[in-house]
Amino acid sequence: TDASQRRLQAEEHLKEHLSSIPDSVGCYGVAHRMLQAAGISRTPGIHDLVQTSFDPRVIHDINPFLAVFASDQIRAIGLLWLQLCVLEDRLGRIVNLCLTSNHRSVALERVRIAAIPPSTTPANK
């Protein structure tokens, strides 16, 4: 689905930028890359992507060469990635409900409710 593709794109983008070490740090960057290649230093995985959204220190643990602005951007992308994960899961559940004919009306009602922008709900006014 489109949600799965976007989640994968965000995930790859996040991993790439989380691991990116600028050449300007010189021999320290080379040393860090060698430690990552040897498995001594952390390389980002799915668990790390989730953690970056809740604990910004994880970003620095994985890549100590990132500027504060870059870390903030990675955290924002991490939150977007988590939202895409939830959306992908919800859409998968709705599709499964639609495939079961006796639950089609329930699934369509969930789609209708999910399509209402949060800004128009009474709780957000």
Side-chain angles (χ1 to χ4, degrees):
T1 66
D2 191 42
S4 297
Q5 291 172 339
R6 290 184 187 265
R7 180 196 50 83
L8 283 171
Q9 287 173 344
E11 188 175 308
E12 289 305 313
H13 181 76
L14 195 54
K15 285 181 180 178
E16 179 183 329
H17 288 282
L18 190 55
S19 325
S20 179
I21 298 171
D23 291 333
S24 61
V25 298
C27 63
Y28 299 107
V30 173
H32 188 71
R33 285 187 205 102
M34 289 173 67
L35 290 172
Q36 284 180 323
I40 297 169
S41 184
R42 278 171 92 162
T43 54
I46 298 291
H47 185 269
D48 296 314
L49 299 184
V50 173
Q51 282 188 314
T52 61
S53 302
F54 299 103
D55 186 0
R57 295 174 297 180
V58 173
I59 296 170
H60 183 65
D61 291 346
I62 295 170
N63 188 343
F65 303 105
L66 290 174
V68 173
F69 176 77
S71 295
D72 291 345
Q73 292 296 310
I74 286 174
R75 187 163 187 238
I77 295 168
L79 290 170
L80 176 64
W81 173 76
L82 283 174
Q83 291 172 343
L84 289 169
C85 289
V86 170
L87 176 63
E88 179 184 25
D89 180 64
R90 286 182 179 175
L91 288 174
R93 290 170 189 251
I94 289 170
V95 166
N96 287 338
L97 278 174
C98 284
L99 293 176
T100 308
S101 60
N102 58 343
H103 291 102
R104 184 168 284 147
S105 62
V106 173
L108 293 175
E109 179 65 15
R110 287 188 182 181
V111 170
R112 187 188 68 73
I113 291 170
I116 300 171
S119 60
T120 62
T121 58
N124 293 315
K125 287 191 175 185

